[in-house]
Amino acid sequence: MKESIKVLIKQAMSNKDVRNQIIKQLSSEETIAAVKKRLTKKYKGSLKDQWVDFKYWMKVWHVCLGTTKPDQKKMLNAMLEYPWMLDLLKTTSMGKRYTEGRTGIALKMTWKTVLLQAGATIEQLQNVILDPENTILAQVMVPTQIYKAMGLKYFICETPANTMVMMDQHCHEKYIDNSVNNGLPDDTCTYASQTPGVVLAGDLPNPHTVMVCSNLPCEAGFASYAIMERELGVPTYRLDVPYNFREEGAREAYIKDLKGMIAFLEEHTGHKIDWEKLKEECEIVNQLNEIELERWEMNRSETPPLCNDVLWFPHLCFFQLDAGRADALELFKELQKLGRRAHYFKECSVKPLKYRAILWNPPTFGYSYFWSWLERCWGIGIVNDMETFGTLNFIDTSSPDSMLAGLGEQWCNAAMSRHTRGPAENWMGDLAKVNEMYRPDFILNLNHMGCRSSLGLTGAMIDWANEKDVSNCIVNYNMYDSRVVSRQGIRDQINNFMTNIMHAEPLDSSLLVFDDSNDW
């Protein structure tokens, strides 16, 4: 096996295009800047914190380096065919940035989430490359519990682009440009434009089975999957989430649609649904919901133990991106235990906590660790956010129809369905609820310039904030493209608000302005 790997690497390096691509990536300004930063960094923290940091850093490396373990030859071939897979090796760098300046229980909770997310991403890759016959392509906003109950594996189509941008702010830009160059309007939301760019470049593993998607998050996402269906040439089923799911008959229509999806999968894959297995999956959802509601409640205290990505990142990964995993339930139980401990000892995750805020609209993935900057520069703790907050319904597992109704309800209430695509009263109504629950010092409204829904509601939000006498920090940004608004551009807008409106002094003035334009 070792000899075959040597031959494979030798063949790759003899290919001029592959060799040049590897050399270009290793010698890029971004790589050099990242290595210099790691080598010159001086760690601050207790001996225990340093041990936790090192231990989980090693665990994440172990998981990432184990990507090829099941079948080294096939997985190494895949890395050469899909070069974005190499960006998974930057996971430890992402974890270090998320945890920079963080200590105690919050440090441990962050690393635990990064570790499981790395493993979940690699598992999806192994599914589609090593077992394509039993793996389907799936959109992120479709209930994965149904696939699991059918004995199907899945690969989330958004995984490459979402993974890359969180690891490295520039490495996915070629895919956004690829979509635009192939006819997708250049003002399309970059969340929707980057994944078809991956497909058009031939960089998405295709198991040649089926693909399942929905009309979420918006019409741009719907259009992007039309491009992907054409390019991939696989049978595709589209779920239609009702625009106003509170209307009579809307939920029933979605349940009927879920049944249609099951029939489609049974016909094209030969896998049949196991309702007892679906019951087990739904019970996992119920337990996760119970834990998440307790986490929200703990953050209402004077010393919230789960601020910023400590709350957001686990919810994003295991309620939305890869929902309802059994190992995610184990993670949330651990996070619940650690959160309770921090709550009991009044250990806030932000030290020192100067301002409590609500984040409305999705955070910036191109500056995925801006949470750490908020903490270290201004002492800001985000106690809840739009992607996390919503309606968590408990699923009735007494019958197949009640389970499908519960799953339908769960996804009709998902952030992108309920808020940025659903009726305006959902967006404003939930903002009023979360403001009443947490009484924040201000609202941080990240105004994604590629989302016409949220841009159109900016005026209504300003009127609401004025009426309620709530300070409102509006920050224009692009969720996935830092060429539109740079990381420093985001910081400048927050700095201006904190200085001129909140009359605050930074905890560390060296963090107000610095050049990270070539940083990962």
Side-chain angles (χ1 to χ4, degrees), residues 449-462:
M449 297 167 71
C451 181
R452 288 182 285 276
S453 294
S454 58
L455 282 174
L457 288 166
T458 302
M461 184 170 183
I462 292 172

